[in-house]
Amino acid sequence: MSYLNYVTPADTPAQQFARKQELFTLLDRIGQDMEIPPGRYKEAEEKYLAVSDVLHGCPTLSQYDPHVFAQGSFALGTTVRPLHGDEYDLDFICFLRKAHHLQHTQRQVYDYLHKRLANHGVYSSMVELKNRCVRIRYADKFHLDITPAVRNPYCYRGGLYVPDRKLVIWKASHPKGYVEWFTPIAALKPRLKMLEKAVEGRHVALGTTEKLPEQQMPRGILRRAVQFMKRHRDTYREQYPLHADYAPISIIITTLAAHAYQLAVSLGEYDSEFDVMNAVIDLMPRFIGIEQDWANKRIYTVLNPTTDGENFADKWIDPKYYEAFTAWHQAAKHDLRNLEMLRGRDEIQKSLRNSLGSVETDRVFGIQTQRINQAREQQTLHIPPAARPSIAAAAALPVLRNNFFGK
């Protein structure tokens, strides 16, 4: 229960801890609110299964034993509602298990997928061509980005090749391996000085289709940190339009954050989950590779940790991308740390609206205000005293009901 409006902050360890826990709780709830809601998730699952059936039933695609599965933020549990509107971007792979990159061109596997959907009565008017995927748009709800893929025989870890239509080349990728790499890192538990345990969650035809990942799973610190940074990146784009085209893509943020979280957990103890989030953002630049090429020009790398040959920062050959990352990263660091210095719910809400947008921030604060008022009416709202958390609950002071007499 929030009490930021009812206590004058002090510098005691217990009150510092309580403030940080309150801040992490707010970020956790905002992150939850940014996720795809259960009703929309169920609808997306139904659409996903329907599209998979259409692909499996294709006379051409079925020859190559298609295997459909989720990738990206949907699979990782780091989805973020768009800053404007409610259309979620959901990514999938259509892996043609019997196709071979030497027997099929990039254009062929792309056309197999596109023609099946473009010639289908249900999807013909909903299909859009993208460079590496075919998009099916469900107006104002979500869109499914389906990327064709074939096996990469040179990746001993089971990686894939996906087509790049513009460059007419195969690009190395390993979406399933990336999820398998990220998931155990996200499950790591930091050592917290003042808690025994971190707060982690909320209080057919040929071919196969994998079940979509659970959306109500506990998220933990790493996923919330990724959500915070992805949404912060989106608001930063609007506030600094000169950097908009060069802002870091989500996979770079996610990869750097996962490396940083893994390191942060190994470094020692932290006072709170909020401190761990700060450490993650601080450590991220350590995992950007910087080299000099033959012309003494800087080459930046953020490598895919699950397959050889994929540099997520391949566009950073233009130095504006690295400059934009550095400027955004400094802003994200500042905005997160600054929350701890603010006093009063109004100041915190204003700051979060600026860095994460108003929709989810206002909704979470509105729900919190309702709970505070209800607890006040029921005389169940308590203020933790300046004591250690282990005894705070026993010594908490009740807040009396406000009858709003006088001013």
Side-chain angles (χ1 to χ4, degrees), residues 57-275:
C58 174
T60 301
L61 287 173
S62 62
Q63 298 178 58
Y64 304 106
D65 193 17
H67 178 59
V68 184
F69 58 91
Q71 67 163 337
S73 61
F74 202 37
L76 296 170
T78 58
T79 54
V80 171
R81 179 187 288 112
L83 188 57
H84 302 295
D86 287 327
E87 188 173 301
Y88 288 86
D89 178 8
L90 309 178
D91 297 306
F92 302 91
I93 288 287
C94 180
F95 172 30
L96 304 180
R97 290 181 285 197
K98 292 185 178 180
H100 195 282
H101 77 289
L102 295 180
Q103 297 176 341
H104 301 86
T105 67
Q106 301 86 1
R107 185 73 191 208
Q108 281 177 321
V109 297
Y110 189 96
D111 285 347
Y112 292 158
L113 176 63
H114 174 241
K115 288 179 179 178
R116 175 58 171 173
L117 296 172
N119 294 331
H120 193 276
V122 173
Y123 303 109
S124 59
S125 62
M126 303 163 62
V127 171
E128 297 179 17
L129 294 175
K130 298 295 180 179
N131 186 40
R132 297 187 188 179
C133 70
V134 176
R135 174 169 294 177
I136 302 177
R137 187 180 294 279
Y138 300 86
D140 300 325
K141 294 183 179 180
F142 44 77
H143 54 262
L144 308 184
D145 286 345
I146 308 172
T147 301
V150 300
R151 193 179 311 279
N152 177 1
Y154 306 109
C155 178
Y156 69 92
R157 289 174 285 189
L160 304 178
Y161 275 141
V162 298
D164 188 302
R165 291 200 310 139
K166 286 184 180 179
L167 300 178
V168 196
I169 59 173
W170 293 108
K171 300 283 287 187
S173 187
H174 196 357
K176 186 183 289 291
Y178 189 93
V179 174
E180 293 171 352
W181 169 78
F182 180 90
T183 301
I185 294 177
L188 294 174
K189 303 291 193 299
R191 288 174 288 168
L192 301 174
K193 296 177 184 176
M194 305 187 78
L195 283 179
E196 292 182 0
K197 184 179 180 181
V199 178
E200 294 180 351
R202 291 170 286 276
H203 315 310
V204 202
L206 292 177
T208 57
T209 301
E210 291 192 11
K211 182 180 177 182
L212 292 185
E214 284 291 334
Q215 293 298 295
Q216 298 303 314
M217 59 186 284
R219 292 297 184 226
I221 301 170
L222 174 56
R223 290 187 176 91
R224 291 303 184 221
V226 170
Q227 286 181 304
F228 171 84
M229 287 186 281
K230 286 166 64 174
R231 172 53 70 83
H232 188 283
R233 180 267 322 271
D234 295 340
T235 60
Y236 182 85
R237 278 174 171 159
E238 289 198 345
Q239 295 165 3
Y240 299 92
L242 292 178
H243 286 166
D245 292 338
Y246 305 98
I249 58 177
S250 295
I251 191 64
I252 288 179
I253 293 174
T254 305
T255 303
L256 295 177
H259 282 305
Y261 182 73
Q262 189 173 33
L263 175 59
V265 169
S266 71
L267 289 178
E269 292 184 324
Y270 298 86
D271 287 340
S272 69
E273 293 93 335
F274 184 74
D275 292 298

Side-chain angles (χ1 to χ4, degrees), residues 352-372:
L352 287 172
R353 290 176 97 247
N354 182 65
S355 58
L356 299 180
S358 61
V359 175
E360 293 83 10
T361 298
D362 289 350
R363 186 156 42 225
V364 166
F365 271 81
I367 293 172
Q368 190 184 60
T369 298
Q370 292 176 0
R371 291 174 176 171
I372 291 172

